[in-house]
Amino acid sequence: MSSSTAGQGAGQLETRGIEPVPEAECDGHPLQLFWVWFAANISILGLPLGATLVAFRGLSIWQVLLVAFLGSVGSFAVVGLISVAGRRGRAPSLTLSRAIFGVRGNIGPTLVSMLSRVGWETVNTTTAAFVLLSLSSILFQTPASAKDAPLLTLLFIAIFVLLTLSVSGLGHATLLLIQKWATYGFGALNVLVGGFLCATIDWTAVFNAAPAPMSAVLIGIGTMAAGTGIGWASSGADMSRYQRRSVTAGRLVASAAFGAGIPLVLLITLGGLLSVGNDHLASAVDPIIAIRDMLPTWMAVPYLVAAFGGLLLSNNLSVYSAGLTALTLGLKVKRVYAVLVDIVAIFIGSIYFMLIADSFYGPFISFISLLAVPITAWVGIFVMDLVHRHHYSAADLLDVSPTSAYWYQGGIEWRAFGAWLLAIVLGFCFTSIGTTAEDVWFTGPLANSWLGQNGLGWVVTFLVAGGGYGLLGGARDRRAGFAENANA
């Protein structure tokens, strides 16, 4: 697994796991990452996200555009910052995180990241199966409802996860190639479909809509950040570890921010436009059918093909990243088998969403709200540490014994881990979580404060995590400096 050819080429199995990439194999460039992030974010899930801004928050379209830009481009700029660590340390994000939290302390953030990845993949797979059900109902007159066609639903879930496995299992080089070229085809279909969706917009209502208060804008930015870049943050270094040493930090940040930001701003804004005077899309149990019903019948097939392709491209990257995260957690298998374990998990989760659960979008919003808090805390600490850390010890990143320079005290760097826990507790204090306004699962004691009501709990989480870690000295004291300098 540590051979110089472990990365392999497109169409060949990548045999490298989480071990740092040798410099001789690091020939990547930022444009590759631009296409990776672009492809991962042309999914139609951006449409219902934008729809909620208008239907549930009352934003005007200009506010939706502002929220889409700040929420998606801003949050993916953070993903780009984390990509800088991948170029420096040549390892996946959560593996590099061992240097910050300690070998054992890193288990907490890694487990949260794994849950996040599996959750997003389950949402992608569920939506893709809805797409195939809808497509089948048009072409072969089969039932469009999952519960009316359970065997067909199982078949469509299996098709999607097998297609995902065929790309994610092969690995990095194949992923780069597929994500780039597939984006052209599915991207063109999305533009075509978007043009027809624009014909259903009530433009008079759009331009006459009154703006919402600033509090609604702030909540919208937080929701968009949680639903876009924050969910991808822990994948930043997974792809950038093959980048050339000469690639600047600014280009890495720009490749993520604009690669993901361009499709997201367009999709979120379109979702907002479609929902002016009509909250059907935002509240739909099956957003696939809701969008299909807005199109001419003959346009439904290319729309569904575009939707399926976008979801597949997103899942390819997510499952690849999840496989590396599983290895960081300690799964003692080859990378391709770690990907297979993830595939089984999302297959089971998708069955629950489609055949057991009563709602699709409510649990989705609750899910990203719940995991956004600990992930944001991790991001705050990781970014603060990145400011001062320029080198990582390859040997110590892989050493999970007390001999590792990243063992610290009992395997935990308590300044980082303590700041992470404190930020999580405070973040949840300002947070309410539920499927609807009436079905609230959790309300923090400070959720009704100005910060809580304005959806700024994530800002509190980020500042407390990064600031607390810095004040405790964790961002300045390089205990493993001797090892890192040796690795420079």
Side-chain angles (χ1 to χ4, degrees):
M1 292 178 63
S2 59
S3 70
S4 61
T5 60
Q8 301 296 348
Q12 297 177 300
L13 181 66
E14 180 188 17
T15 56
R16 173 170 294 106
I18 60 173
E19 60 270 27
V21 182
E23 286 292 331
E25 292 184 43
C26 297
D27 58 355
H29 52 84
L31 187 58
Q32 292 174 328
L33 298 183
F34 174 90
W35 288 117
V36 164
W37 293 119
F38 195 106
N41 289 279
I42 59 173
S43 161
I44 60 162
L45 290 178
L47 294 179
L49 272 176
T52 62
L53 295 177
V54 172
F56 299 153
R57 301 298 178 190
L59 269 63
S60 70
I61 196 57
W62 309 115
Q63 291 175 318
V64 170
L65 186 60
L66 176 65
V67 165
F69 182 83
L70 294 179
S72 58
V73 175
S75 62
F76 267 98
V78 176
V79 176
L81 282 175
I82 293 174
S83 298
V84 176
R87 188 208 61 195
R88 291 177 182 174
R90 302 301 184 198
S93 304
L94 271 304
T95 305
L96 296 173
S97 184
R98 286 175 174 173
I100 304 170
F101 288 86
V103 171
R104 288 178 173 172
N106 191 53
I107 293 175
T110 305
L111 182 60
V112 169
S113 177
M114 189 68 194
L115 291 173
S116 175
R117 293 268 58 85
V118 171
W120 277 108
E121 291 151 16
T122 301
V123 170
N124 285 341
T125 305
T126 300
T127 311
F130 275 129
V131 168
L132 292 181
L133 280 171
S134 189
L135 186 60
S136 178
S137 71
I138 294 172
L139 298 178
F140 308 110
Q141 288 73 54
T142 57
S145 169
K147 294 181 180 179
D148 290 337
L151 293 180
L152 197 59
T153 299
L154 291 174
L155 173 63
F156 289 154
I157 294 173
I159 289 173
F160 186 76
V161 297
L162 287 174
L163 288 173
T164 301
L165 179 62
S166 66
V167 175
S168 302
L170 285 174
H172 181 268
T174 302
L175 188 65
L176 290 179
L177 183 67
I178 295 296
Q179 299 295 92
K180 175 182 177 179
W181 292 106
T183 299
Y184 291 133
F186 292 122
L189 280 175
N190 272 288
V191 171
L192 178 64
V193 170
F196 277 89
L197 286 173
C198 285
T200 69
I201 296 170
D202 184 347
W203 291 102
T204 301
V206 167
F207 292 113
N208 289 337
M214 183 56 64
S215 60
V217 174
L218 294 176
I219 293 172
I221 293 172
T223 302
M224 291 305 104
T228 56
I230 295 300
W232 283 108
S234 59
S235 300
D238 297 358
M239 298 305 298
S240 65
R241 58 196 176 124
Y242 284 92
Q243 291 286 297
R244 297 188 186 101
R245 183 71 63 183
S246 59
V247 174
T248 64
R251 294 177 70 191
L252 289 175
V253 171
S255 66
F258 295 105
I262 290 172
L264 281 172
V265 169
L266 293 175
L267 287 167
I268 291 170
T269 303
L270 179 57
L273 287 168
L274 294 172
S275 293
V276 175
N278 180 6
D279 66 355
H280 183 55
L281 175 58
S283 58
V285 173
D286 184 350
I288 301 300
I289 293 179
I291 299 170
R292 189 194 72 181
D293 290 345
M294 299 177 186
L295 293 165
T297 303
W298 65 270
M299 192 65 201
V301 171
Y303 153 68
L304 292 170
V305 172
F308 183 84
L311 291 163
L312 184 61
L313 294 177
S314 178
N315 229 43
N316 288 341
L317 179 58
S318 184
V319 170
Y320 176 77
S321 181
L324 298 174
T325 303
L327 294 177
T328 303
L329 271 176
L331 192 62
K332 302 297 184 182
V333 297
K334 293 182 178 180
R335 185 197 60 82
V336 67
Y337 297 134
V339 168
L340 185 59
V341 170
D342 182 59
I343 287 290
V344 172
I346 63 177
F347 187 87
I348 295 171
S350 298
I351 292 174
Y352 169 78
F353 264 109
M354 300 196 72
L355 299 179
I356 300 174
D358 295 325
S359 175
F360 171 84
Y361 199 63
F364 172 50
I365 289 293
S366 300
F367 164 74
I368 63 175
S369 299
L370 178 65
L371 292 184
V373 174
I375 292 175
T376 301
W378 175 84
V379 170
I381 292 169
F382 197 100
V383 171
M384 176 63 75
D385 185 84
L386 183 65
V387 173
H388 298 275
R389 187 188 300 271
H390 296 280
H391 305 289
Y392 298 83
S393 168
D396 290 302
L397 286 173
L398 301 179
D399 184 0
V400 295
S401 73
T403 61
S404 173
Y406 302 131
W407 183 257
Y408 301 113
Q409 296 179 348
I412 301 175
E413 216 301 4
W414 288 100
R415 294 172 295 186
F417 193 73
W420 185 64
L421 290 179
L422 177 61
I424 291 173
V425 171
L426 289 178
F428 278 125
C429 284
F430 292 94
T431 303
S432 291
I433 300 171
T435 57
T436 65
E438 294 75 28
D439 182 23
V440 178
W441 299 348
F442 169 81
T443 301
L446 300 175
N448 291 323
S449 66
W450 184 85
L451 289 171
Q453 290 180 339
N454 287 287
L456 296 177
W458 64 277
V459 175
V460 174
T461 304
F462 183 87
L463 294 178
V464 169
Y469 179 59
L471 289 174
L472 290 171
R476 295 186 297 274
D477 181 5
R478 295 274 69 85
R479 296 188 189 182
F482 67 91
E484 292 167 355
N485 290 334
N487 188 55

